[in-house]
Amino acid sequence: MLAKRIIPCLDVDKGRVVKGVQFFEHVDAGSVAECAKRYEQQGADELVFYDITASHEDRALTLDILKDASERVFMPLCVGGGIRTLDDIRVMLNSGADKVSINSAAVLNQNLIKEAALRFGSQCIVLAIDANRVMRDGKEFWEVYINGGRKPTGIAVMDWVKKARQDGAGEIVLNVMNADGTKAGYDLEMTAAVSDAVNFPVVASGGAGNPEDMFAVLTKGKADAALAASIFHFGNYTISQVKQFLNDRGVPVRQDFIERK
Amino acid sequence: MISIIDYGMGNLHSVRKGFERVGADVRIVTEAAEIDAAEKIVLPGVGAFRDAISTLREKGLDGAIVRAAEQGKWFLGICLGLQLLFDVSYEDGEYEGLGIIPGKVVRFDFAGRDDEQSLRIPHMGWNELHWQRDVPLFRGVPQGTHVYFVHSYHVVPSDAQVVASRTEHGGDFVSSVWRDNVMATQFHPEKSQKWGLAMLKNFAEL
């Protein structure tokens, strides 16, 4: 049976890992190589690098980091942040990424996901969605945001998800901004709704504070994988602790790093 | 010396680094003559079947790959490099493969099942490997080990004897094959952490 994945996300700025609380205040959580190695030893199923600055100078640094990581750790690597064109995608794949995560650019060029899936295959094209629960005309509206969560688009999350399915995206990472960095738990309702709307994997992001939150999103939230940053970077929990917790509650996880009883 | 065939489909970098990590000598080859001269061959690949097979033909590598398999050279296909060995693929049409292993490549199809929604396509992530044969590639690797998959199509060999392992995703599918000198995996050993590296080491030591 396919295991549920636990994925640490490394937000990268100038070669260092940082993690913002609700996207804004950034705190340094260590070097990329240290983090990647540490997470491999703990049993991470995949690593996500998110390039949060993505200026031209920093882009070159991110490629170096990616290449370096792909020589040190032998697991799937996904990279996101500032990817706008088919050429950007090709460069990332050639530098050791197995998947690329596309966010704002998919809104700005609504053919990008489709063209990328045709060119490189659905399996490496991930649509990242920054979603926010907002009030509009007195009613709750699930809205897609871009530019690192700073700009509302007016696009409804569920419409965006359906388009991703039609365009051939291979995976969705759903980051619910209201929950991100709060450690108050994932948005189970929105995650389950997205998961029900597609037949490809959905990765939940934003809000993990403890193993219970991960258990909830992988069961009630119907996610295929749980992505987190803060709770791992600062050593609150190790990945193996989370997996042990999930395993004990009957969630299928990779059996390496699980103590057999 | 292990020769990894580069025909422009996917990430050779990780396969090469994986072999280097376990102490193997590797080189990247792009010409039919290099394949003819090679000792052990790896055919990796990620992407669409149609693009891959037409590229192999355009570059004139298809004949050399078939010859290498027939000559008894140790051969490892990975992911698309497994699917290419078969007679035919139904990925977005119907395309003839290399015909080294009899059988076909088909898409996962869970339409109409109650659990359709939970059986994701692509089959992406870590799943268990189950084998009944003493496969040289898997020596020392525990039964039921999780390895990394990412694919929407899977192989259906016509001869059950070539099946090396099966994996469950809405029923069993063939996750690797082995016949004489030819081995091929649907999963990615180079992305499967320590047990994947153990398989690359096994191949290097054959």
Side-chain angles (χ1 to χ4, degrees):
Chain A
M1 192 177 188
L2 191 61
K4 299 280 187 180
R5 286 171 280 155
I6 300 298
I7 306 173
C9 175
L10 311 179
D11 284 2
V12 175
D13 186 15
K14 299 182 178 63
R16 302 284 293 175
V17 176
V18 294
K19 174 59 196 173
V21 175
Q22 292 214 354
F23 281 80
F24 298 113
E25 289 170 60
H26 292 116
V27 189
D28 194 330
S31 89
V32 178
E34 274 166 35
C35 280
K37 202 71 208 161
R38 189 169 64 193
Y39 289 143
E40 183 182 48
Q41 285 160 1
Q42 290 182 9
D45 296 314
E46 197 169 313
L47 284 179
V48 173
F49 295 95
Y50 196 74
D51 185 351
I52 57 169
T53 49
S55 67
H56 283 299
E57 312 83 77
D58 293 342
R59 171 53 54 86
L61 204 54
T62 302
L63 290 176
D64 289 345
I65 287 166
L66 186 61
K67 256 189 186 134
D68 184 46
S70 72
E71 292 173 15
R72 287 165 189 262
V73 296
F74 293 92
M75 68 171 121
L77 304 176
C78 178
V79 64
I83 292 169
R84 305 197 190 290
T85 64
L86 294 178
D87 223 39
D88 292 341
I89 297 171
R90 189 182 48 74
V91 168
M92 288 298 178
L93 295 176
N94 288 342
S95 300
D98 299 288
K99 302 193 263 191
V100 294
S101 163
I102 301 168
N103 191 330
S104 306
V107 173
L108 302 173
N109 170 5
Q110 301 210 358
N111 293 321
L112 184 61
I113 295 288
K114 194 179 202 169
E115 288 170 0
L118 279 175
R119 173 79 65 88
F120 304 104
S122 292
Q123 82 289 334
C124 64
I125 304 303
V126 180
L127 177 67
I129 303 175
D130 285 326
N132 212 359
R133 286 176 181 258
V134 297
M135 293 304 288
R136 177 179 288 185
D137 305 328
K139 280 196 292 191
E140 189 178 85
F141 180 60
W142 296 352
E143 186 169 12
V144 176
Y145 274 60
I146 57 171
N147 296 356
R150 286 184 289 271
K151 190 177 172 193
T153 62
I155 299 170
V157 170
M158 297 313 293
D159 290 343
W160 197 228
V161 166
K162 278 175 201 131
K163 178 169 160 53
R165 180 174 182 159
Q166 285 158 7
D167 288 352
E171 189 167 71
I172 281 179
V173 174
L174 179 69
N175 183 54
V176 184
M177 294 170 58
N178 313 68
D180 189 48
T182 61
K183 299 191 193 173
Y186 294 93
D187 189 322
L188 302 185
E189 185 194 7
M190 200 187 297
T191 308
V194 169
S195 187
D196 280 338
V198 295
N199 64 341
F200 52 78
V202 172
V203 181
S205 165
N210 54 48
E212 285 85 348
D213 293 337
M214 295 195 159
F215 174 74
V217 84
L218 294 171
T219 51
K220 210 173 160 208
K222 302 183 182 178
D224 300 278
L227 183 144
S230 339
I231 76 161
F232 296 136
H233 297 334
F234 298 106
N236 309 44
Y237 295 94
T238 64
I239 294 164
S240 36
Q241 280 172 331
V242 169
K243 288 197 168 180
Q244 188 75 53
F245 182 91
L246 295 170
N247 186 64
D248 291 347
R249 282 153 190 80
V251 176
V253 291
R254 192 151 59 100
Q255 289 297 305
D256 289 311
F257 309 96
I258 300 296
E259 286 171 40
R260 301 194 190 241
K261 289 182 178 156
Chain B
M1 173 72 81
I2 296 167
S3 298
I4 303 173
I5 303 175
D6 179 6
Y7 56 110
M9 297 293 288
N11 192 355
L12 300 186
H13 191 66
S14 324
V15 179
R16 177 184 199 153
K17 290 293 164 192
F19 276 116
E20 285 176 359
R21 171 61 69 90
V22 299
D25 287 332
V26 281
R27 61 171 186 163
I28 304 291
V29 299
T30 56
E31 307 277 330
E34 293 174 300
I35 296 174
D36 284 334
E39 241 179 287
K40 287 183 182 174
I41 294 157
V42 178
L43 180 65
V46 170
F49 189 96
R50 182 193 56 192
D51 296 347
I53 195 73
S54 62
T55 307
L56 287 178
R57 295 216 168 97
E58 276 162 27
K59 293 180 185 282
L61 302 178
D62 52 331
I65 293 170
V66 173
R67 276 196 298 281
E70 282 171 356
Q71 285 164 0
K73 290 177 182 174
W74 286 116
F75 187 98
L76 176 63
I78 299 174
C79 196
L80 192 55
L82 156 76
Q83 299 183 357
L84 289 166
L85 302 182
F86 282 71
D87 292 324
V88 59
S89 169
Y90 295 96
E91 181 178 342
D92 297 327
E94 182 177 337
Y95 300 97
E96 196 184 329
L98 295 170
I100 294 170
I101 307 266
K104 59 186 179 178
V105 183
V106 300
R107 190 174 164 85
F108 281 113
D109 182 10
F110 306 122
R113 291 175 51 147
D114 291 346
D115 54 354
E116 181 186 352
Q117 196 59 32
S118 67
L119 292 166
R120 304 302 208 184
I121 305 172
H123 171 237
M124 189 190 294
W126 298 77
N127 206 335
E128 292 168 32
L129 209 53
H130 296 283
W131 64 89
Q132 283 99 34
R133 304 163 67 196
D134 180 19
V135 185
L137 200 60
F138 304 151
R139 272 176 203 152
V141 178
Q143 184 70 280
T145 289
H146 281 88
V147 289
Y148 186 76
F149 291 88
V150 50
H151 61 123
S152 301
Y153 289 77
H154 65 94
V155 299
V156 182
S158 0
D159 176 5
Q161 297 216 323
V162 305
V163 175
S165 68
R166 295 182 189 273
T167 295
E168 197 263 322
H169 185 58
D172 282 349
F173 72 91
V174 174
S175 50
S176 66
V177 299
W178 170 38
R179 191 190 64 201
D180 306 321
N181 54 307
V182 177
M183 288 170 281
T185 65
Q186 182 60 69
F187 57 91
H188 290 270
E190 79 283 9
K191 291 283 159 188
S192 298
Q193 295 185 355
K194 66 172 177 177
W195 296 120
L197 293 180
M199 293 177 201
L200 297 184
K201 190 162 197 283
N202 284 338
F203 183 76
E205 288 173 354
L206 283 170

